[in-house]
Amino acid sequence: MRDLINQTRLGIRSNLYYLSLYGALALPDICGALSSANGQASGEKYKKWFDKYVGEKYEGFLDGEDCYFFRCSLLHQGSSQHPKNTYGRYIFIEPSASGGNIFHCNVLNDALNIDVRVFCEDILAGAETWLAEAEKDEQFVKNFTKFMRRYENGLAPYIVGLPVIS
């Protein structure tokens, strides 16, 4: 889990905003699933997780439901527009183009402007807080055995001696 968080953060620092945004938006699903009895993601788990671990930073602008709809439209259609969203679209100004200014939580007509770095970091910080709590939970420990991870020396009996991700 820490590898996923760290790689998403590395993407932000490397100006890989698409990849970072996709990774950050997937984290509430993953965290919600790992903490659940059935180990499966759902819209309700996503919304609840976002509201608990990130929502406070976006009060009045973005809640779990809107973030979930945004996640659905971006991850499944490659779009920042979802018909059930409060906003017509989401707009991210690339930090390198902003002259050092941060444009975050601004409503522009029917669009919400969010700083991509701040947004991703907020979700990553929420995931780190959640992980510190979840690692002690029996349900997490059970579900985490299935979590995709990197195996430095392979995964016997399939491949041994080479790093693999499985």
Side-chain angles (χ1 to χ4, degrees):
M1 190 69 190
R2 283 184 178 78
D3 283 342
L4 178 57
I5 292 168
N6 291 336
Q7 286 190 23
T8 304
R9 186 167 279 127
L10 182 61
I12 296 165
R13 292 177 183 154
S14 300
N15 302 329
L16 300 172
Y17 304 123
Y18 281 109
L19 295 176
S20 300
L21 194 52
Y22 279 79
L25 285 170
L27 277 171
D29 263 330
I30 295 166
C31 297
L34 285 170
S35 290
S36 72
N38 68 1
Q40 300 292 310
S42 74
E44 288 311 308
K45 291 173 192 173
Y46 188 103
K47 295 169 192 177
K48 184 177 176 181
W49 187 94
F50 184 91
D51 287 339
K52 181 175 181 178
Y53 292 99
V54 183
E56 182 178 290
K57 296 176 182 177
Y58 292 86
E59 283 185 29
F61 292 99
L62 186 67
D63 62 13
E65 184 163 326
D66 274 333
C67 191
Y68 178 72
F69 290 139
F70 173 50
R71 163 242 180 250
C72 290
S73 63
L74 186 65
L75 296 181
H76 299 294
Q77 286 84 40
S79 172
S80 70
Q81 301 166 58
H82 190 284
K84 293 183 180 178
N85 246 327
T86 299
Y87 303 100
R89 68 174 51 230
Y90 294 89
I91 299 173
F92 297 89
I93 297 174
E94 290 191 16
S96 60
S98 66
N101 296 308
I102 294 176
F103 299 97
H104 188 63
C105 290
N106 301 297
V107 178
L108 311 167
N109 298 322
D110 69 339
L112 179 62
N113 162 237
I114 303 173
D115 183 278
V116 68
R117 286 184 180 170
V118 172
F119 181 70
C120 290
E121 283 292 347
D122 287 343
I123 292 177
L124 293 172
E128 289 169 329
T129 299
W130 164 84
L131 185 58
E133 296 169 5
E135 285 178 313
K136 302 167 191 130
D137 181 70
E138 182 180 316
Q139 199 60 60
F140 169 85
V141 172
K142 177 186 169 198
N143 290 331
F144 194 68
T145 63
K146 299 175 188 171
F147 186 76
M148 181 171 258
R149 67 187 90 191
R150 185 173 188 266
Y151 296 87
E152 181 72 29
N153 294 307
L155 182 60
Y158 309 103
I159 298 174
V160 178
L162 299 171
V164 299
I165 299 172
S166 177

